[in-house]
Amino acid sequence: MNQEPWAVSSDPASLSSSTSSATPPPRRRRWPTVAMIVLLVLATVGAVTATVVAVDQRDVAEQWEERALALEAQRDTVDDQRAEVADQLEATLDALTTSERDVDELEDRVRTLADEKARAEDTATTVQVERDVFIELSELISDATGALDTCVAQLFDLQSASVEAFNRANTGQDVDIDALNARSGEVTRFCNEARTAAASAEAAADRLLRS
Amino acid sequence: MSSRLRIGGLLLAGLALAACVEPPTAPLDTPAGVETEGFEMPEVAATSVERRAQEVTVRVRSLGCEQFGLGSGFVLADGVVVTNRHVIEQPREVTVNTWDGRSLAAEVTGVATDTDLALLQLEDRGDLPVAELRTAPVERGEEVFAVGYPGGGPAQVSPGRVLGMVDGTVLGEPAEVIRVEVEISLGSSGGPLLDRDGLVVGVVFAVEVDAGVGLAVPVETLLERLDAGELVAPGVC
């Protein structure tokens, strides 16, 4: 360490030489004063620094406090938002449940109506089939009735022809037996066809009753 | 000297403190939005699968030469409907009823000779949803469900599980058939048997009356017939 300019030697020799010479006015020891000044300066600097730091830290503390308050407010806001969202979710869930129930009920209704429609179509198809059968049966019965009616008419004609032939034979007139037999065969064949038609009509009626 | 060191130490400590206690600089975060990704609702998914299954399942009405038949079926792409052969034998007029009340005319395009399957072609394809077929075979114990129109009534979903595969030759089938513990009734014939994902794994065609279990033609048989084109024209009156 360098010797300070205001330091005074403690050598006894020098002290004795100085006392032995002319007596100059005793030098004032200034180092305590300087030291005091230095200490004051340092203390002042330290105090100023501490004050600056303290003020700065107070500002920091205030900022942190503001931030804490802001965070608290934000937390409250978030809590409110969460509660609001929860309420909205609950309301939405209720609405969804209601909608789902409504959709299910509507779909059930659609299925019920579709089922009724399908069954009505089934019935319509069945009725259509029955109507076709009835029409067919009606035609068959009509044909059979007509044929039987014609058969009866032809039988009457044949009967009249037979009676006429019988009377002619009794009076000695010529009778064309072959023509009469041919007519009889034709009437028989026709009446058999009429009976077949009647049987078909009866079978159709029976099929209708069984279906 | 020591006092100077103390003062210097105090100064350094103050400066260090000032350096450590920094003012807040990070901005306040805004509340994050609600994360919904990966949110699953299995009940809704299951409902959707059943709903979809009912939409692809149709009611088949067949007016034959001697009989009036009711059954079920399901829609494939291009307006093709799969059903059972015994539902549409000797068809004169075939109508398909959808779940929402539509009535669509259909024509029988082919029947299988060795299995109880038949294909219809809708005259108006419309916008009907289409069933998807599963190529992987079913497993014993697997959860399945059948959809059909039992008794010609409304569509019915019947859940159950696969009991196993049984020999189908005694039933006139060329291969094994699926034995399922599912409620099957008259009118369910031709309806689909589906897995939990809604994929068709079989075609319901019979029921073991004594055991009360259903039988279904595996979808593999259907795919084989579709791929090979081994279908013939239906019988006529």
Side-chain angles (χ1 to χ4, degrees):
Chain A
M1 181 179 287
N2 293 330
Q3 192 175 22
E4 297 175 4
W6 57 81
V8 176
S9 173
S10 59
D11 186 4
S14 64
L15 286 174
S16 63
S17 64
S18 64
T19 53
S20 62
S21 62
T23 57
R27 292 185 61 187
R28 289 184 60 188
R29 293 182 177 174
R30 292 183 297 176
W31 64 268
T33 305
V34 173
M36 186 64 71
I37 290 170
V38 169
L39 283 175
L40 281 173
V41 168
L42 288 175
T44 302
V45 170
V48 169
T49 304
T51 301
V52 169
V53 169
V55 169
D56 192 31
Q57 290 307 303
R58 189 186 62 193
D59 293 341
V60 170
E62 286 175 353
Q63 290 180 39
W64 276 109
E65 187 179 5
E66 289 173 2
R67 182 175 171 81
L69 291 173
L71 283 172
E72 190 176 349
Q74 190 182 65
R75 187 203 60 191
D76 293 342
T77 303
V78 170
D79 281 346
D80 292 342
Q81 289 176 347
R82 184 180 55 79
E84 188 178 348
V85 169
D87 290 342
Q88 288 176 355
L89 276 175
E90 195 169 345
T92 305
L93 186 62
D94 289 343
L96 277 175
T97 305
T98 305
S99 298
E100 179 74 12
R101 191 168 57 243
D102 289 346
V103 167
D104 287 343
E105 288 175 359
L106 287 172
E107 284 189 352
D108 285 344
R109 182 66 182 147
V110 167
R111 288 193 187 89
T112 303
L113 290 172
D115 177 54
E116 290 176 5
K117 180 173 179 281
R119 287 178 187 274
E121 288 177 357
D122 293 347
T123 304
T125 303
T126 306
V127 169
Q128 175 70 30
V129 171
E130 289 177 351
R131 195 192 71 138
D132 292 345
V133 172
F134 274 122
I135 289 173
E136 183 186 353
L137 181 63
S138 175
E139 290 174 350
L140 289 173
I141 291 173
S142 176
D143 292 345
T145 304
L148 287 171
D149 187 50
T150 306
C151 168
V152 170
Q154 290 187 3
L155 282 172
F156 279 135
D157 290 345
L158 180 62
Q159 183 187 30
S160 298
S162 298
V163 170
E164 183 183 349
F166 180 78
N167 291 333
R168 286 171 65 95
N170 281 341
T171 56
Q173 299 179 27
D174 292 336
V175 176
D176 189 356
I177 296 297
D178 291 338
L180 194 61
N181 284 335
R183 189 171 182 182
S184 175
E186 186 181 344
V187 170
T188 300
R189 189 176 64 254
F190 189 87
C191 285
N192 281 336
E193 289 176 0
R195 291 172 67 185
T196 302
S200 296
E202 185 181 358
D206 186 55
R207 190 169 65 245
L208 178 63
L209 287 173
R210 280 188 285 107
S211 64
Chain B
M1 186 71 179
S2 61
S3 64
R4 269 182 277 170
L5 285 174
R6 264 189 239 113
I7 291 168
L10 284 172
L11 283 172
L12 288 174
L15 290 172
L17 189 62
C20 288
V21 185
E22 290 292 333
T25 54
L28 294 176
D29 294 332
T30 53
V34 178
E35 190 67 41
T36 56
E37 195 171 349
F39 188 60
E40 294 180 356
M41 301 178 73
E43 296 87 357
V44 175
T47 304
S48 299
V49 168
E50 287 189 4
R51 185 170 286 159
R52 176 85 177 175
Q54 289 184 70
E55 289 175 358
V56 302
T57 306
V58 294
R59 179 182 190 267
V60 178
R61 177 175 55 243
S62 171
L63 181 61
C65 304
E66 297 290 335
Q67 62 180 9
F68 176 79
L70 288 175
S72 304
F74 56 94
V75 183
L76 297 180
D78 299 326
V80 173
V81 175
V82 179
T83 187
N84 282 149
R85 181 184 59 198
H86 74 259
V87 173
I88 47 85
E89 278 183 313
Q90 294 186 323
R92 287 193 316 181
E93 180 184 322
V94 179
T95 306
V96 167
N97 299 121
T98 63
W99 75 277
D100 56 356
R102 281 178 281 177
S103 300
L104 307 172
E107 183 183 356
V108 180
T109 54
V111 294
T113 55
D114 59 345
T115 181
D116 196 355
L117 293 174
L119 295 183
L120 315 178
Q121 177 65 56
L122 295 174
E123 293 179 5
D124 179 14
R125 299 174 187 179
D127 56 349
L128 290 176
V130 175
E132 294 180 47
L133 306 180
R134 193 179 92 175
T135 54
V138 293
E139 297 175 2
R140 183 188 178 94
E142 183 176 344
E143 290 185 10
V144 291
F145 63 97
V147 186
Y149 291 83
Q156 181 175 312
V157 177
S158 303
R161 62 182 62 248
V162 175
L163 295 173
M165 305 294 288
V166 294
D167 183 15
T169 53
V170 294
L171 299 163
E173 290 296 317
E176 289 186 322
V177 296
I178 307 170
R179 195 164 179 262
V180 285
E181 190 178 24
V182 171
E183 187 179 343
I184 302 292
S185 305
L186 284 174
S188 301
S189 291
L193 183 72
L194 306 105
D195 64 9
R196 291 181 64 184
D197 296 325
L199 302 176
V200 178
V201 296
V203 183
V204 174
F205 79 103
V207 58
E208 288 183 16
V209 180
D210 295 338
V213 299
L215 297 168
V217 178
V219 78
E220 294 91 331
T221 304
L222 171 63
L223 288 169
E224 286 172 7
R225 296 301 175 278
L226 289 175
D227 292 340
E230 295 175 352
L231 300 170
V232 298
V236 294
C237 300

